[in-house]
Structure formats: C-alpha cells, structure tokens
Amino acid sequence: MKMTPKERILAVLRKDTPDMIPWSFYANLIPRGEIEREARNRGCGIILWKPAWRIEMRNIEISVKESWDHEGTRIITRTYHTPVGSISEKVKEDPGYHSKWIVEYPIKKPQDYKIIRYIIENTYYYEDYDSFKDAQEDLGEDGIIFASVGPSPLQKLIHELVGIEKFFLDFYDYPKQVEELIELLEMQQDKIFCIAADSPAKIIYSDDSITGNITEPRLFKKYCLPFYNKQAQLLHQKNKTYGVHMDGKLKCLKNLIKDTKIDLIDSFTLPEQGGDISIEEAKTIWQDKAIAINFPASIMLEGKEKAKKFLYELLKKISPSTNFMLHISEDLPHTVWKDAILILGDLIPKFATF
C-alpha cells in the first residue's frame, strides 16, 4: 500500500518497513514553487521545526540593530540589557542560502558568564500546544515537524554562547564558571524536555551539530552521553522519538553514540562530503537507530551524471535496510538545488521501493 511522506518517516523511526526509502528536505532550504511541488508529487516530504512552547524573559531588555555588509549580507546585533550588565551578539544572515551564523558570541570575557546566568535564570518556559497542533494540521501528511529543544548544554555553550576557540580556553582557564553554566543550562533543558514530553510532537530534536574533532570522546562521554540518555528515558516513557543532529566526523565517537538511547542520528555526513564513517560501518554499529543521511551538495557541483551515479550506488548500499532515510539538510547553491531534488525524485521511487 502506498504510504504518505509522513508515514514513511514514522515507519523508519518505528523500525517498520516503508514502501520506499523516505526522502525529504528541510523546509527552509528549498523555495516553494514548481520544482518543489514536483518533488512532493514524487513522494518527497517536508521537515519543519517548531517548538511546542513559548518563552518569557523577565527584567531583560533586548535592543536590535541591523546593518549590511558590502556583499549584501544582513548583520543583526542583538544586545541584552540586564540589572547585572549587558552583553551582545552579532548574527549574519545570507539571503541567498537562507543561512544564519554567529560572528560575535555573547560571552567575550569572564564577567559575561554572570550575565548569561542571569538571562537563563530569568527565562521561563510555558506550554504552547495549540499552535503546534495547528502547524501539524496545516502540514498534514506532507511531512513531519521536529520539535526542536535547542542544543544540549555543552553544544549550546560551544556553538551559541562562547564559540569553539574560546570554549576550550575557558574550559581550562575558568573551569568553575564553565561547569556551573553547563549545569544551569541542563536545568533549563530539563524543564523544556518535560514540556516536550507532554506535547503533541512525535519527534523531539536536539540541534547539536556533533562532530568528534570538536566534541571529542572525553567531552562527549562526560556531558553528552548522560544527558541524551536521561532525556531519552523521559521521552520514551511518553512514546516520543528523540533525534540529534550529528553531521560531522563521528568515527571517534561511534561506540559512545551506540551507547546512547537516542532514536535518530540526523544529517549523517557521508565520507564523500567530509564525514569519516562509511554507510556499511554505520549500518553495522548503529543497527538500533534510524539514520537520516544528508544528500551532499558537493556531489551536485560535479555534474548531474556523477550525482546520479553517486545516488544509485548509495541506494544500493542502504536498500533494503529499513533504518535509513535521505534528507536535503544543508545549503544548496541556487544553481544546483533543482537538479538535486529532481534526481532524488527520479531514482528513489524507481530503485528503492521495497
């Protein structure tokens, strides 16, 4: 029986057999229009993110300033004013790729840890289930919503608050402040996960961007593994699926990831794109987990015929396994995204039907 995109994704997450390998795109990466509609007609799904909660900040004022650089990239400077001081961050937005990245992190000096703590302690979370249900109904069977809870504590500190280089300096120079902030972030995440566990969301998602050359095994074992397993235990009691964005080099972490109770490794990076674990190895070591493979943009830059051959060989490797799906989960240059999505739409329904 023919399945919907939503049913295919849920089948893989339940370790059931879909009618074909699920494939989808992150909603912010593919423009709505003729080609996108054609892809959905061929079975492509949409992945959206929406929290099932809202936040309230108390005793904090936020001022925002916008500017543009010479390339037309938008720069947003956001400053948080609190009774214990002010901190600011700068974020760039690329209009072509719809990407955002932090170019100036909030924590710049030791005194900033106190301000971040104040902001966290004065941020409150509340259920927002009705708007989540409305979004689910609007999407229908065309895809699924990941209820993003943000990064886990360590990853939030590295990727959103301090930056990679300064994190490692502070980790050794100011260990007490770093540890205390990680503990506070975990307390905050515990509250969010409790709301998520009771929400109408089916998939709860940590935006962690794990790669072993930054979150090396000692850090992962101390901070990530116990956190994931604690939250997975809570979510599984409520029949939720727990996914984590792991898009980097994972070879040095493969056994630790195996020991986690997470259900989905999202945006898995192939060796051809810069990852360091083969499909065969991933299939063997993570048999109990669903794996969403990122279809690499770099392949498309080498031409359509090479991309078709690459996808054909990839499908041979993952079929008839039932724990794989394919995503377009990274920025695609405007010159190639149409070809990419049509190549997937042409080959997957023909080749990968079980």
Side-chain angles (χ1 to χ4, degrees), residues 13-267:
L13 294 174
R14 291 192 301 260
K15 302 177 178 62
D16 292 336
T17 303
D19 61 341
M20 69 178 184
I21 292 174
W23 64 294
S24 54
F25 59 85
Y26 286 5
N28 62 311
L29 297 181
I30 303 296
R32 303 291 83 82
E34 179 182 357
I35 301 299
E36 174 264 348
R37 184 172 61 250
E38 176 62 23
R40 287 193 290 117
N41 289 341
R42 299 185 191 185
C44 184
I46 301 171
I47 293 178
L48 294 174
W49 289 268
K50 179 176 175 58
W53 46 90
R54 59 183 176 84
I55 68 171
E56 177 189 354
M57 289 183 171
R58 299 177 186 172
N59 302 317
I60 301 165
E61 293 185 7
I62 304 173
S63 60
V64 178
K65 179 183 177 182
E66 295 185 6
S67 60
W68 283 262
D69 65 16
H70 65 283
E71 296 178 341
T73 301
R74 184 183 181 207
I75 303 171
I76 300 173
T77 302
R78 190 174 287 108
T79 303
Y80 298 82
H81 307 277
T82 79
V84 297
S86 299
I87 56 172
S88 64
E89 66 176 0
K90 286 186 179 180
V91 177
K92 278 193 174 185
E93 293 186 352
D94 188 314
Y97 285 93
H98 308 286
S99 296
K100 297 180 181 181
W101 67 96
I102 299 173
V103 294
E104 182 181 298
Y105 292 90
I107 296 177
K108 304 173 185 66
K109 53 188 183 297
Q111 300 92 310
D112 293 339
Y113 279 89
K114 178 179 68 173
I115 303 173
I116 285 290
R117 287 183 61 86
Y118 182 91
I119 293 171
I120 295 169
E121 290 168 347
N122 288 274
T123 300
Y124 298 84
Y125 294 83
Y126 303 95
E127 297 174 2
D128 189 17
Y129 297 161
D130 288 342
S131 66
F132 193 92
K133 289 178 183 176
D134 290 343
Q136 282 186 323
E137 291 176 4
D138 290 343
L139 183 60
E141 294 295 312
D142 273 9
I144 201 156
I145 301 178
F146 286 174
S148 173
V149 291
S152 61
L154 176 69
Q155 297 303 105
K156 184 176 182 67
L157 183 58
I158 292 174
H159 294 296
E160 294 187 2
L161 299 179
V162 183
I164 296 169
E165 182 178 351
K166 183 167 174 53
F167 165 76
F168 286 103
L169 293 173
D170 286 3
F171 188 76
Y172 289 100
D173 292 340
Y174 310 108
K176 185 174 184 293
Q177 288 172 291
V178 170
E179 288 286 350
E180 287 178 348
L181 185 53
I182 290 175
E183 290 175 8
L184 183 60
L185 287 167
E186 183 161 347
M187 291 172 60
Q188 181 190 57
Q189 283 274 290
D190 287 345
K191 296 173 185 176
I192 299 172
F193 271 90
C194 284
I195 296 173
D198 289 326
S199 78
K202 295 181 182 297
I203 302 172
I204 314 303
Y205 186 79
S206 289
D207 314 82
D208 273 18
S209 298
I210 291 290
T211 183
N213 52 353
I214 297 173
T215 307
E216 48 86 21
R218 289 173 298 175
L219 288 175
F220 189 97
K221 185 175 182 179
K222 181 175 181 180
Y223 297 105
C224 298
L225 178 60
F227 178 83
Y228 294 153
N229 286 349
K230 175 176 68 171
Q231 306 303 349
Q233 183 177 4
L234 168 68
L235 295 176
H236 292 163
Q237 290 171 356
K238 302 287 186 173
N239 296 315
K240 307 295 185 186
T241 295
Y242 186 22
V244 179
H245 193 90
M246 296 187 172
D247 61 345
K249 296 182 183 298
L250 304 178
K251 196 172 189 68
C252 66
L253 301 174
K254 63 180 183 180
N255 291 314
L256 291 170
I257 294 171
K258 179 182 178 181
D259 291 339
T260 69
K261 294 180 173 61
I262 67 172
D263 306 293
L264 169 66
I265 298 169
D266 186 58
S267 203

